Amino acid sequence: MKKSKSALFLMELIIVIFFFALTSAVCMQVFVKAHTIDVNTQNLNNAVLWSTNAAEVFQEYGNSPETIGKTLASDKFDFDESSNIVKIYISGNYKPTTKENAVYVFCMTFSEDTRMDYLKCEYGFVDKEETVYSLECKKRKMQNEGDKK
C-alpha cells in the first residue's frame, strides 16, 4: 500500500495560507490606524494654526470681531452681532469657504468687561458637535489718561 504525501502537503499549504492571511489582516489594521492618526494630526495642527493666528490678531486689534474676521478670512466669514460670534467655514483642504462646502468650522466668541477683552476660539467639524481644539485669550484694555487714578 502506497502512502500519499499530497495530504500532508495540502495541510502544510493550508497552514501557510492561514498564516499569511492572519499577518496581512494585522498589517491592514496597522495601516488604517496610521492613516487615522495622520488625519487627526493634520486636523489638530490646522486647528492650532487657526487659533494662534486668531489670538495674535486679537492681541493687535482687541475686541473687534469684524476686523479680525476680515483679517483671517477676507470676506468668507459669518458675523452674528447679537451674540458677538464670528464663524469661518473651512474646506477639506483647510481653506476658507462657504458654509455649503465646509468640512470644519472655526468659531470665535468675543466678550468683554470693564477691564478685559476676551476671545474664545473653537475649531471643530461642521456636521458633528466634536471640538478638535479650543483656545481662550484675554487682553487688558488700554486706559485713557482720564481713567488713571
Side-chain angles (χ1 to χ4, degrees):
M1 202 164 143
K2 278 187 159 180
K3 290 188 178 181
S4 173
K5 293 186 180 184
S6 63
L8 181 61
F9 177 73
L10 188 57
M11 287 297 287
E12 289 177 354
L13 189 60
I14 289 173
I15 290 172
V16 168
I17 290 172
F18 175 73
F19 174 75
F20 282 121
L22 186 64
T23 305
S24 65
V26 170
C27 287
M28 288 301 287
Q29 286 181 343
V30 169
F31 288 133
V32 168
K33 185 70 171 175
H35 177 71
T36 303
I37 290 171
D38 178 51
V39 169
N40 290 342
T41 302
Q42 287 178 358
N43 289 340
L44 183 59
N45 285 341
N46 193 52
V48 170
L49 180 67
W50 274 94
S51 297
T52 54
N53 286 346
E56 289 175 5
V57 175
F58 173 72
Q59 290 300 320
E60 177 66 26
Y61 295 115
N63 199 0
S64 178
E66 288 188 36
T67 305
I68 294 173
K70 286 180 183 175
T71 303
L72 293 175
S74 299
D75 293 327
K76 296 182 179 177
F77 69 95
D78 293 337
F79 176 49
D80 182 10
E81 291 185 39
S82 62
S83 58
N84 234 9
I85 295 176
V86 172
K87 289 185 179 180
I88 300 173
Y89 295 98
I90 301 169
S91 67
N93 61 353
Y94 306 113
K95 304 283 186 214
T97 187
T98 61
K99 186 176 183 177
E100 295 79 26
N101 300 329
V103 176
Y104 309 101
V105 62
F106 180 64
C107 183
M108 296 179 287
T109 306
F110 296 87
S111 59
E112 64 182 328
D113 60 22
T114 56
R115 302 182 73 192
M116 302 290 278
D117 290 331
Y118 301 97
L119 169 68
K120 182 176 182 182
C121 301
E122 289 183 325
Y123 183 97
F125 295 96
V126 172
D127 56 350
K128 302 181 206 172
E129 291 295 321
E130 179 183 350
T131 300
V132 174
Y133 186 75
S134 178
L135 177 69
E136 294 185 18
C137 306
K138 57 185 172 182
K139 179 183 177 187
R140 183 176 300 272
K141 290 185 178 182
M142 298 297 290
Q143 290 182 337
N144 296 333
E145 290 296 321
D147 293 342
K148 291 183 181 178
K149 293 182 180 181

